[in-house]
Amino acid sequence: MSESKKFILQEQDIPTAWFNIIPAMPVKPAPMLDPASKRPLTAEDLFPLFSEEAARQELNFTDSWIEIPEQVRDLYKIWRPTPLVRARGLEKALDTPAHIYFKNESVSPVGSHKLNSAIPQAYYCKQQGVTNITTETGAGQWGTALSLASKMFGIELAVYMVKISFNQKPYRRSMMQTYGAQVIASPSMSTRAGRKIITEHPNYQGSLGTAISEAVELAMSTPNCKYALGSVMNHVALHQTVIGLEAERQMEMAGEYPDIVIGCFGGGSNFSGISFPFMRHNLAGDRTTRFIAAEPASCPKLTKGAMRYDFGDEAGYTPLIPMLTLGHNFSPANIHAGGLRYHGAGAVVSQLKADGLMEAVDIPQLETFEAATLFAKSEGLIPAPESSHAIAAAIREAKRAKEAGEAKVILFNLSGHGLIDMAAYDRYFAGDLANYDLSETDLTETIAGLDMVPGHE
Ligand SMILES: *Cc1c(COP(=O)(O)O)cnc(C)c1O
């Protein structure tokens, strides 16, 4: 292991505004639709579901910068600004001329980037007197972040946790309970959506889509209760831009600018967070950085999905979102990167991908664990299985740079640490992990019946 170099900002350098990429997009995303009337949604339509401010941010197509409330910025100071690290150990292990940097979002109290959005979402709920929040969680990272954020503002939280993770990742459940949240394995008998799925498929191990249905149903039927989502939505991507805004200044300190920016991809929030601030310079015509989203080969919405109007959840309670999707009934293989097992991509990222302003790669599970162990041995940090997809993509690019003899500057986001995912590493060491491939027929079935998005027929 060789010495890595860190670039550290001060508290006063935490951004004062989030960056909203939508006004700069050459083609705006199509509007979200009301599923019954197929009418474009207004912010007011979302008020029953989300906090009013989150709803307004969701549909803000005009303001490029949105001020971070002072109380939110103060809470960010608990762990932000996060370090930017030159991964000299990894460079050496790969014997590459590329310069590899990573933004370390794993240093948050909950171990991932998710707290960047959990805090403002809980804050906006508190501002309007909300007493209860419901949410879903896949691998448990979002649920953990929102448990802490809710506790910070004295709000009660109920978390529907995908059943397979509830059983595979008991410590993430313990963390949520430590922060005082109620955790329910999904599908559960506590909602209509959950009871329907259990009745039809008694052994169903759950999915994010199902858990979202349950959380939304509980929020809509409980007074003074809102729902909060940890990815996919525009306002979540917006909050995550603190990552890229800090990284931009840190790259300046390093005296470099990235040729390639990489983030792993579940619904798009950490990828958006690291990418959008750099992408604004591409959109302004000043830079030609490549942006790469790294998704699992078993859940490849960006590389193999279709642009359709689809629900964010399985039961169809959410608005229709114009997204690159595998279909809301798509049931991904039980890979260990639970946070990436989601059927669709957010509307903004979907449009950027369709317009060729970013790229995507899909990575088989075993390659992600190879990348993770190489990274751990050379940099000391044990990455989350989700983040390992970004590392694997960065390694592919560093190898390509070596073949071409080019000193490319590569920046990736380390979205979280893997210290609560060691059971997955154990299975990798025991040779129990497999790659999963998708057959074309799976997809035509799950996409059939979804409406086309205008401009993407
Ligand atoms: C949730 C999660 C992801 C995936 O979600 P995005 O919204 O796509 O960022 C990636 N990494 C970690 C550590 C996560 O917790």
Side-chain angles (χ1 to χ4, degrees):
M1 195 181 296
S2 62
E3 201 180 316
S4 287
K5 195 161 181 208
K6 269 203 281 189
F7 299 89
I8 305 288
L9 295 170
Q10 303 303 312
E11 273 184 8
Q12 67 266 21
D13 301 321
I14 296 173
T16 53
W18 293 297
F19 173 61
N20 179 14
I21 197 171
I22 300 175
M25 290 172 72
V27 184
K28 315 293 180 224
M32 284 189 289
L33 302 180
D34 177 90
S37 67
K38 304 271 168 94
R39 182 180 53 78
L41 287 183
T42 63
E44 288 71 22
D45 292 325
L46 293 174
F47 286 176
L49 193 57
F50 297 121
S51 71
E52 293 183 9
E53 186 53 31
R56 274 191 285 268
Q57 290 175 355
E58 188 60 31
L59 295 182
N60 189 328
F61 279 36
T62 48
D63 300 313
S64 299
W65 298 96
I66 293 174
E67 196 185 320
I68 303 176
E70 203 173 308
Q71 209 180 338
V72 170
R73 212 166 158 267
D74 273 343
L75 288 165
Y76 277 171
K77 288 177 188 166
I78 294 172
W79 79 101
R80 306 205 71 84
T82 62
L84 178 85
V85 182
R86 169 94 183 259
R88 289 192 185 276
L90 182 61
E91 289 173 17
K92 204 171 202 177
L94 295 169
D95 188 27
T96 176
H99 295 186
I100 306 175
Y101 292 83
F102 65 91
K103 180 72 166 158
N104 187 358
E105 289 295 307
S106 81
V107 299
S108 90
V110 296
S112 80
H113 69 289
K114 295 281 196 327
L115 203 52
N116 295 329
S117 185
I119 289 176
Q121 291 198 53
Y123 168 83
Y124 292 129
C125 284
K126 185 68 182 181
Q127 289 303 99
Q128 67 178 89
V130 167
T131 55
N132 292 68
I133 301 178
T134 69
T135 196
E136 78 296 328
T137 196
Q141 298 267 26
W142 168 246
T144 307
L146 193 61
S147 297
L148 176 55
S150 299
K151 185 47 64 187
M152 286 170 169
F153 294 102
I155 297 173
E156 294 295 324
L157 177 70
V159 183
Y160 285 94
M161 184 171 189
V162 176
K163 193 174 275 173
I164 183 161
S165 299
F166 189 92
N167 294 323
Q168 270 182 356
K169 305 191 183 219
Y171 295 136
R172 205 80 75 184
R173 169 172 49 74
S174 321
M175 287 175 77
M176 292 186 260
Q177 289 166 337
T178 301
Y179 294 132
Q182 241 196 82
V183 188
I184 308 122
S186 167
S188 77
M189 297 301 278
S190 67
T191 62
R192 208 154 31 90
R195 284 194 295 275
K196 180 166 185 289
I197 289 164
I198 291 177
T199 312
E200 288 167 9
H201 310 282
N203 292 321
Y204 189 50
Q205 290 302 295
S207 72
L208 270 178
T210 307
I212 296 174
S213 301
E214 294 204 87
V216 169
E217 188 183 319
L218 183 62
M220 301 297 264
S221 56
T222 306
N224 220 13
C225 180
K226 296 292 170 196
Y227 166 68
L229 195 47
S231 186
V232 186
M233 308 306 285
N234 301 341
H235 64 275
V236 184
L238 173 77
H239 301 153
Q240 294 296 349
T241 58
V242 286
I243 302 172
L245 291 168
E246 285 179 8
E248 197 185 348
R249 299 192 54 176
Q250 289 162 308
M251 289 301 302
E252 247 169 62
M253 291 168 77
E256 304 215 72
Y257 193 90
D259 297 304
I260 303 171
V261 175
I262 299 170
C264 67
F265 200 96
S269 77
N270 92 91
F271 170 79
S272 304
I274 187 87
S275 297
F276 289 177
F278 290 99
M279 204 181 282
R280 80 184 195 277
H281 303 299
N282 276 32
L283 296 176
D286 299 332
R287 296 281 184 179
T288 54
T289 301
R290 290 171 58 208
F291 300 92
I292 305 176
E295 60 183 4
S298 55
C299 195
K301 53 244 154 194
L302 293 172
T303 52
K304 303 210 172 63
M307 187 73 123
R308 292 288 189 278
Y309 268 114
D310 198 4
F311 293 107
D313 68 320
E314 203 160 289
Y317 290 151
T318 70
L320 286 168
I321 303 171
M323 49 163 53
L324 281 168
T325 181
L326 299 166
H328 61 275
N329 289 320
F330 176 79
S331 180
N334 291 332
I335 55 165
H336 281 272
L340 308 187
R341 293 175 75 247
Y342 183 72
H343 66 273
V348 167
V349 170
S350 295
Q351 185 66 48
L352 292 169
K353 174 70 174 48
D355 290 340
L357 296 167
M358 56 171 280
E359 307 162 36
V361 290
D362 58 83
I363 301 186
Q365 176 159 258
L366 292 175
E367 184 180 339
T368 68
F369 277 90
E370 273 162 37
T373 47
L374 179 65
F375 182 76
K377 285 171 185 158
S378 52
E379 293 297 324
L381 297 164
I382 297 182
E386 291 85 359
S387 317
S388 306
H389 289 69
I391 299 171
I395 290 174
R396 283 186 186 182
E397 290 300 329
K399 287 180 173 168
R400 217 162 272 155
K402 183 180 176 182
E403 280 161 25
E406 291 174 337
K408 291 277 185 214
V409 178
I410 301 170
L411 166 65
F412 74 85
N413 190 42
L414 184 72
S415 54
H417 69 63
L419 296 180
I420 311 176
D421 301 287
M422 296 318 291
Y425 279 82
D426 277 347
R427 292 202 51 200
Y428 171 65
F429 298 138
D432 281 348
L433 293 189
N435 290 328
Y436 297 91
D437 252 341
L438 284 183
S439 73
E440 288 295 327
T441 43
D442 286 338
L443 298 186
T444 41
E445 271 174 33
T446 53
I447 289 165
L450 299 177
D451 285 349
M452 295 282 182
V453 178
H456 302 273
E457 286 91 352

